[in-house]
Every structure is written in structure tokens, then in C-alpha cells.
Amino acid sequence: MAELVFDNVFLSLDGTDLSDHVRQVTLTYQAELQDKTAMSDNTRSRLGGLKDWSLSVEFNQDFAASEVDVTIFSLVGTTFTVILRPDAGSVSTTNPNYTGTGILEEYTPIGGSVGDVAIAPITIQAAGDLSRATS
């Protein structure tokens, strides 16, 4: 298994490639655990329930046409397609493609302190299944 340095992540939101503005990205995939422990059990027992995912991204802010601000501003409160790969290269077993339908609840277009790089952090929540493809 090869190690990886994140320096060329691919991220597309609603068909717009914003990869060149990504500072940080975290994809979380989980299942709600349902407790099925009975009175006679000595240890808790659980079943996997509904799946959930979220994507946190920190962008270098950019107010130019077709860049970060105009793209993200229009996505607040809507569902859209998210595509994420560890590397911008071709999809493969070592560069899986994650695709899902997400929804953006909140966007902070302006924030920071004097001298800081202008950033735009967002968190996308699941609005549909997350899939993983290797070809």
C-alpha cells in the first residue's frame, strides 16, 4: 500500500471543479448503531443502522467569476452532486472516486482577522447515498 501526501485532491461541487482552492478536506462516513441488547445479555449488542456522511472543506476564498464564492453561495439550501478523489488523476484502486448527493446548510463568505488568508469553510451533509468507485 502506498502512502499519500495530500497535494492534488480533486473536488467538484455541482459540476464546478474547485480543487485548486482546497486547503483542507475531511470526508466522514458512518452508520448509526442501533442497540439490540436484551435483558439476558451481559454485553451490549448493536446493529448497523442508517448510513450517513459529511464533507468538511476549507477553501482559500476567491470572489472571481466561477470560483469559490459564486459557486458555494448558490448551493446553500440546495442538493447537488459532490465528487471527491484523493488525487486529481484517473480513478483507480489506489485513487477511489467518492460521489454523493449533498446539501449545504450554511456558508460563511467573509471571516477572519487582520493579516489572515481569506478562507471559506463549509460542511456538506448527506442528502443521498455515498458511492465509492475504483474504475
Side-chain angles (χ1 to χ4, degrees), residues 1-62:
M1 181 174 162
E3 289 78 18
L4 174 69
V5 173
F6 278 134
D7 63 357
N8 195 26
V9 169
F10 175 82
L11 177 64
S12 170
L13 303 181
D14 199 35
T16 302
D17 181 352
L18 294 174
S19 305
D20 61 341
H21 288 76
V22 174
R23 293 174 53 98
Q24 181 178 351
V25 62
T26 303
L27 176 63
T28 304
Y29 187 55
Q30 64 192 36
E32 294 176 358
L33 297 182
Q34 302 299 318
D35 190 333
K36 68 174 195 114
T37 309
M39 290 291 184
S40 62
D41 293 339
N42 292 321
T43 304
R44 292 228 176 258
S45 181
R46 293 178 177 86
L47 294 172
L50 294 173
K51 301 234 171 86
D52 196 9
W53 64 271
S54 64
L55 179 67
S56 297
V57 185
E58 185 177 275
F59 293 100
N60 285 326
Q61 182 59 287
D62 190 337

Side-chain angles (χ1 to χ4, degrees), residues 14-133:
D14 199 35
T16 302
D17 181 352
L18 294 174
S19 305
D20 61 341
H21 288 76
V22 174
R23 293 174 53 98
Q24 181 178 351
V25 62
T26 303
L27 176 63
T28 304
Y29 187 55
Q30 64 192 36
E32 294 176 358
L33 297 182
Q34 302 299 318
D35 190 333
K36 68 174 195 114
T37 309
M39 290 291 184
S40 62
D41 293 339
N42 292 321
T43 304
R44 292 228 176 258
S45 181
R46 293 178 177 86
L47 294 172
L50 294 173
K51 301 234 171 86
D52 196 9
W53 64 271
S54 64
L55 179 67
S56 297
V57 185
E58 185 177 275
F59 293 100
N60 285 326
Q61 182 59 287
D62 190 337
F63 296 99
S66 300
E67 296 296 349
V68 175
D69 181 64
V70 70
T71 300
I72 295 173
F73 188 86
S74 67
L75 296 177
V76 174
T78 67
T79 58
F80 53 92
T81 300
V82 176
I83 301 171
L84 176 66
R85 288 193 300 276
D87 186 81
S90 299
V91 177
S92 68
T93 56
T94 58
N95 192 34
N97 194 71
Y98 296 90
T99 305
T101 301
I103 187 166
L104 182 61
E105 178 182 13
E106 179 181 20
Y107 169 50
T108 305
I110 300 173
S113 299
V114 65
D116 287 350
V117 171
I119 60 168
I122 64 169
T123 300
I124 299 165
Q125 301 292 334
D129 291 339
L130 181 70
S131 64
R132 180 183 186 274

